[in-house]
């Protein structure tokens, strides 16, 4: 007999075999829900629901704009957006708690297959009037300017700190916050300020707020990806392939974004 639990001080917990079994049970339950909904006609485009998980940077501007655009062609589609940390996004996919997920990632996620990707390097965001906006910028150039950075647990901050270490550069932020909206509004109210993000994060705000994105002048890679759980797909009209096409179209439609090498990854659960 195969055991699915192990006894620990805090009680009974699932072992590796138990995790695999529980995952298949969750998938079977969701498959049954989709089948019943399809039989009842509730999966028609007029009643479609797609669950999305993403990190804070994706939820700031990119997703609201793209979801609004998507609903113009599919007015019956409903969205449920779960904003969480980067580790929690892939966990949502594996647990079958979301249909599509967006995340910055430094390494492949366990049991998640990547179907497509675009690179999304960390960039410096500033006002067009900023003295650094009109020239090539290095990390050393940031000294003396008010710097607003996300928390150290975020992928973009980790890449930024790593780049500083590799270039023997020490910078001290005047503001650190886990929410990009706070960094964004600080930037708008502080013309000399600089923050970091990907081109995805400010895709729709850059031109309207007279902001520019500049490379840090160092080699780096911070991929972002869209993920869909295998076997538990949303309706065809708003499935992972359709959603990834929307993101790809948004990136390709912005010349400067393409220049920065934006990449989106589409993934599915393999367990």
């Amino acid at each position: 007999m195969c055991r699915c639990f192990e006894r620990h001080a805090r009680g009974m917990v699932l072992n590796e075999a138990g995790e695999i079994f529980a995952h298949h049970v969750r998938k079977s339950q969701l498959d049954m829900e989709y089948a019943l909904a399809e039989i009842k006609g509730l999966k028609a485009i007029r009643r479609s629901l797609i669950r999305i998980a993403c990190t804070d940077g994706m939820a700031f501007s990119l997703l609201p704009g793209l979801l609004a655009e998507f609903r113009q062609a599919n007015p019956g589609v409903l969205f449920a957006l779960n904003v969480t940390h980067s580790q929690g996004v892939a966990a949502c996919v594996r647990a079958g708690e979301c249909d599509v997920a967006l995340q910055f990632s430094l390494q492949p996620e366990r049991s998640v297959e990547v179907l497509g990707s675009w690179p999304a390097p960390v960039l410096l965001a500033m006002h067009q009037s900023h003295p650094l906006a009109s020239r090539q910028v290095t990390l050393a150039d940031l000294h003396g300017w008010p710097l607003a950075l996300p928390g150290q647990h975020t992928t973009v901050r980790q890449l930024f700190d790593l780049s500083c270490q590799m270039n023997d550069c020490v910078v001290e932020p005047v503001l650190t916050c886990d929410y990009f909206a706070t960094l964004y509004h600080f930037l708008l109210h502080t013309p000399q300020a600089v923050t970091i993000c990907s081109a995805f994060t400010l895709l729709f705000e850059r031109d309207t707020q007279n902001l520019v994105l500049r490379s840090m002048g160092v080699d780096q890679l911070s991929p972002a990806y869209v993920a869909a759980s295998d076997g538990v797909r949303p309706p065809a009209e708003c499935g992972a392939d359709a959603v990834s096409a929307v993101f790809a179209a948004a990136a390709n439609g912005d010349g400067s974004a393409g220049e920065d090498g934006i990449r989106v990854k589409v993934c599915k659960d393999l367990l």
Side-chain angles (χ1 to χ4, degrees):
M1 176 183 295
C2 179
R3 294 187 177 183
C4 295
F5 295 89
E6 293 181 356
R7 187 179 300 277
H8 289 266
R10 63 181 183 274
M12 303 294 289
V13 297
L14 291 173
N15 57 21
E16 185 176 358
E19 291 285 357
I20 295 175
F21 180 73
H23 173 81
H24 283 286
V25 170
R26 285 193 296 265
K27 287 182 60 177
S28 297
Q29 291 176 334
L30 290 173
D31 283 337
M32 180 60 68
E33 291 177 6
Y34 277 120
L36 292 175
E38 189 169 9
I39 292 173
K40 296 177 181 180
L42 296 180
K43 282 192 67 179
I45 188 62
R46 63 182 180 276
R47 294 287 298 171
S48 297
L49 171 67
I50 181 169
R51 303 164 302 164
I52 304 175
C54 71
T55 50
D56 178 66
M58 294 295 181
F60 172 71
S61 173
L62 178 69
L63 273 175
L66 292 183
L67 298 185
E69 180 181 342
F70 195 89
R71 290 197 74 253
Q72 290 180 0
N74 304 277
V77 176
L78 309 176
F79 293 101
L81 181 61
N82 176 23
V83 181
T84 182
H85 52 80
S86 57
Q87 295 84 359
V89 172
C92 287
V93 177
R94 288 191 290 267
E97 296 174 354
C98 68
D99 302 308
V100 177
L102 231 75
Q103 176 192 359
F104 290 102
S105 177
L106 297 176
Q107 58 188 4
E109 295 287 350
R110 178 179 61 85
S111 304
V112 172
E113 178 186 359
V114 178
L115 305 179
S117 63
W118 288 259
V122 179
L123 303 173
L124 302 171
M126 63 194 76
H127 280 266
Q128 290 181 354
S129 59
H130 197 287
L132 299 179
S134 59
R135 63 183 181 87
Q136 180 64 44
V137 182
T138 65
L139 291 172
D141 294 328
L142 298 179
H143 289 289
W145 302 108
L147 189 62
L149 296 178
Q152 294 182 338
H153 67 280
T154 61
T155 305
V156 289
R157 175 63 185 273
Q158 291 170 5
L159 278 175
F160 178 81
D161 289 345
L162 179 61
S163 299
C164 289
Q165 293 175 12
M166 294 176 62
N167 288 270
D168 195 24
C169 180
V170 179
V171 294
E172 183 177 0
V174 300
L175 172 64
T176 301
C177 184
D178 290 339
Y179 297 101
F180 183 77
T182 301
L183 303 177
Y184 171 75
H185 287 287
F186 178 81
L187 183 67
L188 295 184
H189 290 86
T190 312
Q192 301 301 306
V194 177
T195 189
I196 60 174
C197 64
S198 78
F200 273 127
T201 304
L202 290 176
L203 187 64
F204 297 127
E205 256 69 30
R206 182 170 43 184
D207 294 334
T208 59
Q209 296 297 335
N210 297 320
L211 302 176
V212 297
L213 298 177
R214 289 289 177 263
S215 169
M216 297 190 300
V218 295
D219 293 332
Q220 53 166 309
L221 178 62
S222 175
Y225 65 77
V226 180
S229 55
D230 186 23
V232 187
R233 300 291 290 270
E237 293 84 357
C238 56
D241 295 338
V243 173
S244 64
V246 172
F247 284 101
N252 293 335
D254 186 335
S256 57
E259 182 180 352
D260 291 331
I262 291 180
R263 181 163 55 182
V264 175
K265 289 185 179 179
V266 182
C267 316
K268 64 178 180 179
D269 193 348
L270 287 178
L271 279 179

